Amino acid sequence: MEFFDCNCAYGVPMKPPLTPALTPDAIIAEMDLCGIGRALVRNLAVSEQTPEVGNPLTSHDLAGHDRLTPTWALLPPQTEELGTVAEFLRRMDEAGVRSLWAFPADHRYLLNTTTFGELFDEMVAREIPLFLPRQQTSGGLDAYATADAVLRDFPNLPLIIVGQGPWGEDRLFRPLMARFPNFGVDTSRYELDGGIAEVVK
């Protein structure tokens, strides 16, 4: 079985963990250690600075790394900081980007239909996954409320909440899993004994 990690980042973080991955090569070394075949990867600048900086930096740094697939962050199309929806999607396609991240708290926008409806339509049609860090909303609970509101309008959007806390959040995510076929949760911080087996069962 080949593992494909959906949540990898490199660069110099503002609040560094014990051993941050500073370069794409450092991520590959860690993947080899853990037996991971491929990964979705972003430069931390996509969140800790701005996608205008981080998106092209990610694509530039990952060029030639076949096991690392670049992933970008989005911004409201109305500001055109990343271009129109059509321009943004064209650049994604040219760069081989097949997934997006949302950082609404860091980048000060509402992740909703009013802001992203046109882009969400295209993401559903193209099956582009959207990753939403739990920490990007107040207390984490709002991440599930945000996901519920978005998925009510776009039930087939692949939406994944990332970075759970140390307590099981099954009461929050299982109702979404039951209703929306493309909703998921990242398991890297799902620290509940026997939790994954229970969800799979």
Side-chain angles (χ1 to χ4, degrees), residues 8-78:
C8 289
Y10 69 96
V12 181
M14 289 187 288
K15 296 180 181 178
L18 183 61
T19 54
L22 301 180
T23 66
D25 287 335
I27 287 184
I28 290 174
E30 195 68 23
M31 289 166 59
D32 290 341
L33 180 66
C34 298
I36 296 170
R38 298 177 62 202
L40 283 180
V41 181
R42 66 195 184 281
N43 187 295
L44 286 169
V46 303
S47 56
E48 296 192 357
Q49 294 185 42
T50 171
E52 292 172 284
V53 173
N55 289 352
L57 192 59
T58 296
S59 294
H60 174 271
D61 292 347
L62 300 187
H65 291 279
D66 294 339
R67 294 169 59 194
L68 307 182
T69 301
T71 183
W72 284 0
L74 49 74
L75 289 175
Q78 295 83 358

Side-chain angles (χ1 to χ4, degrees), residues 77-145:
Q78 295 83 358
T79 63
E80 296 192 2
E81 294 161 276
L82 300 177
T84 65
V85 168
E87 291 167 343
F88 181 59
L89 291 169
R90 177 180 52 77
R91 282 197 291 272
M92 282 181 63
D93 189 52
E94 290 171 353
V97 173
R98 299 290 180 266
S99 62
L100 291 170
W101 285 70
F103 300 96
D106 286 349
H107 297 152
R108 301 181 63 78
Y109 59 74
L110 296 176
L111 188 70
N112 60 18
T113 299
T114 300
T115 306
F116 292 102
E118 182 184 357
L119 180 58
F120 288 162
D121 276 330
E122 293 292 340
M123 292 173 68
V124 169
R126 300 167 188 240
E127 299 181 333
I128 297 172
L130 177 64
F131 294 90
L132 172 63
R134 176 185 174 275
Q135 299 86 347
Q136 280 295 301
T137 54
S138 121
L141 299 180
D142 286 349
Y144 296 97

